[in-house]
Amino acid sequence: MRWFGKKKEKTEAAARPVVQPAVQEKPEQQNLLELKNIRLGCREMPKEAVIREMGKMLADSGYVNESYIEAMLKRELSFPTNIGNGIALPHGVEEAKKEIKRSGIGVMVFPEGTDWGGERVKLVIGIAGVGEDHLEILSIIAEKMSEPEAVEKVVAGSAEEIYRTFTERGDAA
């Protein structure tokens, strides 16, 4: 059986490098959060204005259609998205999933806090998750921000430090 002779191996080997999925996957993973979507030193503003600004950030970055902003506001009316620990996670209602182009997040830091329905929040993370990505994003945020000290570190951090916090997978040890 000479089907796998040297000539055929060279042809297959030469054809293999044309498609390199590992190169295509890496940028997609890194784009969940972009540095331009981290806003530091935000001043207090009404919750609705924060949600609109966050939604616009997600839309301008190509994560969602503009109509997702209204879905984020609708979610907030039906179920407040502040989760304690000085964090709010605005996101759209379930029926708005079709308005999400790709998964992504935005971060707004309010060093002095901003009112979120009677609770002061310092960290607002807008979420757009395609399919099950939504749950994975929530899981990552919960893991990274479970302690008040972790939230304070993010609030006091630079954009680069915040970027690393939410994009690097580290050991919990």
Side-chain angles (χ1 to χ4, degrees), residues 3 15 45 47 60 63 70 75-76 81 111-112 152 171:
W3 292 83
M45 63 178 84
K47 176 172 60 169
D60 289 348
Y63 295 120
E70 293 305 316
R75 162 69 70 196
E76 197 64 39
T81 58
E112 304 302 316
E152 286 303 320
D171 294 333

Side-chain angles (χ1 to χ4, degrees), residues 24-77:
Q24 293 171 354
E25 290 172 5
K26 190 174 179 183
E28 211 171 287
Q29 290 171 345
Q30 290 176 342
N31 286 339
L32 184 65
L33 174 61
E34 299 175 11
L35 276 171
K36 70 179 182 176
N37 291 336
I38 300 171
R39 304 232 175 111
L40 305 175
C42 298
R43 293 187 188 170
E44 184 168 3
M45 63 178 84
K47 176 172 60 169
E48 181 179 323
V50 175
I51 294 170
R52 286 189 183 284
E53 191 168 322
M54 181 63 71
K56 182 154 177 36
M57 186 188 321
L58 294 172
D60 289 348
S61 295
Y63 295 120
V64 299
N65 293 320
E66 291 266 342
S67 56
Y68 189 74
I69 299 168
E70 293 305 316
M72 292 173 79
L73 292 165
K74 187 176 178 182
R75 162 69 70 196
E76 197 64 39
L77 290 173

